[in-house]
Each structure stands twice: as structure tokens, then as C-alpha cells.
């Protein structure tokens, strides 16, 4: 059973937390903070004052806000690697779940985790989408709450959430060990869009840059 939290908090599974990259700097107004509780569960709060006091010292600004920021202009001659946009509805106190498609065909349920540098998808789903697990691009380790785990990175042709689409990208092939879910949606996808999390409205907006 998932413990309920005040409406300004959002839970994300911490069963396999990938290494966290450097936090982005954003205006303090509307800033979303990420913290991890004593059970290893990641949560999000709208502003540092909304983080429970015992977790404030370790809370990290995600670089996301609950208000859209103007998208930066594209560099001259740059080909876009991401397109489209979508919204994800969630219930306060529960995980944020993105209904995604691999290579435009295989549906998967991914837990949104801004603390994950890389998107992680179950091998069975990647195999169904035609990814070649026998020839990983690179192998390495990820650090989770239960220790280090060996994983392979493979290439997929696309990952789509609604109309938000990222073309050819590397993802980690590994099971999350969370029943009912196929993986984690990381910053390698999210950082290619303007992403806002509004805990009060229960809405994540993914918009083109």
C-alpha cells in the first residue's frame, strides 16, 4: 500500500534509483524539489518549504517548475531530435505513470523519475520492439537501493508518450522489479522537452522546446 501524502507531493518508485546527475538551476518561484525518504522512495514537492523538514537538507532542485518557462530558440541549422508534446495526469501521493510506445509499436508503462539519468526498460519489452539485446552498445553498472547491478544499454528507434517523441536513443535494458511497470522514464528523454510538474493540479506537461 502506498502511503498518502499532502496534495503538494508526488511519489515515484525508488526500487532502482539510477545515478543522479547535477541538478539544473532554475528560478526559485515554482521550483520542484526531489527528495528520498527513509524507505528509498523518491518524492517531489512544490517548493522547498513543502519538503518535510527532516528531508530538506538532502532535497535537490530538479530544474523543473510548475509553470512553463519560455522555450529556448533552436540553434541555427540544428535538427530537432524530439517533437510533439503531451500531458500526463496523476493522483497526489501516487506514482507518475507514463503510457509510452517503443519504436511506435510496443506499449509500456514507465514510472517518471527525474532522478534517473537514463531511461530503463524491461528486456522483454525491448525484445518485443525488435531491439537487439544480444549486441548491446555498452555495458555498465547502475546503483540502486539494493546495491550495484550490471546492465546493458541498447538502441531503440523511438520512444513516444502521446505526441511527444524522441528518435533514436540509448536505453538501459533491465527489470525494475516493480509489479505492473515496465521501467523508468529518465532525463535522457525528459530533458529534450520543457517539462512542468504541477502537484496541485495533478498534471505533468511535456512540451516541445
Amino acid at each position: 500500500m502506498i502511503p498518502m501524502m499532502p496534495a503538494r507531493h508526488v511519489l515515484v518508485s525508488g526500487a532502482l534509483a539510477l545515478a543522479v546527475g547535477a541538478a539544473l538551476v532554475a528560478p526559485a518561484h515554482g521550483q520542484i524539489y526531489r527528495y528520498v525518504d527513509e524507505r528509498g522512495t523518491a518524492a517531489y514537492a512544490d517548493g522547498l518549504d513543502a519538503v518535510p523538514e527532516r528531508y530538506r537538507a538532502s532535497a535537490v532542485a530538479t530544474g523543473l517548475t510548475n509553470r512553463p518557462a519560455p522555450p529556448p530558440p533552436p540553434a541555427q541549422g540544428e535538427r530537432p531530435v524530439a517533437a510533439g508534446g503531451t500531458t500526463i495526469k496523476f493522483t497526489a501521493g501516487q506514482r507518475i505513470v507514463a503510457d509510452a510506445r517503443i519504436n511506435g509499436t510496443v506499449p509500456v508503462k514507465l514510472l517518471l523519475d527525474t532522478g534517473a539519468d537514463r531511461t530503463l526498460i524491461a528486456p522483454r519489452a525491448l525484445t518485443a520492439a525488435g531491439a537487439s539485446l544480444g549486441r548491446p552498445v555498452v555495458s555498465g553498472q547502475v546503483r540502486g537501493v539494493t546495491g550495484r547491478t550490471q546492465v546493458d544499454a541498447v538502441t531503440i528507434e523511438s520512444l513516444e508518450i502521446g505526441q511527444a517523441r524522441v528518435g533514436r536513443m540509448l536505453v538501459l535494458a533491465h527489470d525494475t522489479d516493480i509489479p505492473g511497470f515496465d521501467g523508468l522514464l529518465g532525463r535522457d528523454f525528459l530533458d529534450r522537452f520543457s517539462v512542468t510538474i504541477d502537484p496541485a493540479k495533478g498534471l505533468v506537461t511535456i512540451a516541445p522546446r
Side-chain angles (χ1 to χ4, degrees):
M1 181 177 179
I2 301 173
M4 297 303 293
M5 303 179 67
R8 298 176 74 188
H9 297 260
V10 183
L11 290 179
V12 172
S13 170
L16 181 62
L18 306 187
V20 179
L24 300 178
V25 177
H29 182 70
Q31 177 70 273
I32 301 295
Y33 282 81
R34 180 183 187 272
Y35 63 92
V36 179
D37 66 18
E38 64 274 4
R39 296 177 304 167
T41 299
Y44 295 89
D46 185 2
L48 188 60
D49 60 341
V51 177
E53 188 171 354
R54 63 185 180 279
Y55 302 127
R56 287 179 188 171
S58 60
V60 176
T62 65
L64 305 178
T65 69
N66 62 8
R67 293 186 179 181
Q76 188 172 3
E78 179 182 320
R79 285 189 70 180
V81 295
T86 192
T87 58
I88 302 170
K89 294 182 180 180
F90 64 88
T91 301
Q94 297 187 9
R95 296 158 172 159
I96 303 176
V97 182
D99 290 314
R101 283 188 175 273
I102 309 171
N103 296 344
T105 58
V106 177
V108 288
K109 288 188 177 296
L110 304 179
L111 298 175
L112 186 149
D113 188 351
T114 63
D117 289 334
R118 289 284 182 181
T119 293
L120 179 149
I121 301 176
R124 55 178 169 73
L126 292 170
T127 299
S132 179
L133 300 186
R135 292 181 296 173
V137 176
V138 67
S139 296
Q141 292 184 333
V142 294
R143 186 178 64 255
V145 295
T146 58
R148 293 184 179 274
T149 303
Q150 188 73 22
V151 297
D152 292 329
V154 300
T155 301
I156 60 175
E157 295 304 315
S158 67
L159 185 63
E160 303 169 16
I161 302 172
Q163 298 300 311
R165 180 183 185 276
V166 171
R168 193 172 177 85
M169 63 182 287
L170 280 177
V171 298
L172 301 181
H174 191 74
D175 288 307
T176 63
D177 297 326
I178 307 170
F181 298 101
D182 303 297
L184 302 176
L185 182 66
R187 298 193 73 119
D188 52 347
F189 182 95
L190 297 171
D191 283 354
R192 304 191 190 196
F193 298 90
S194 293
V195 181
T196 62
I197 301 176
D198 192 335
K201 293 182 179 179
L203 196 67
V204 177
T205 301
I206 300 176
R209 285 188 177 276

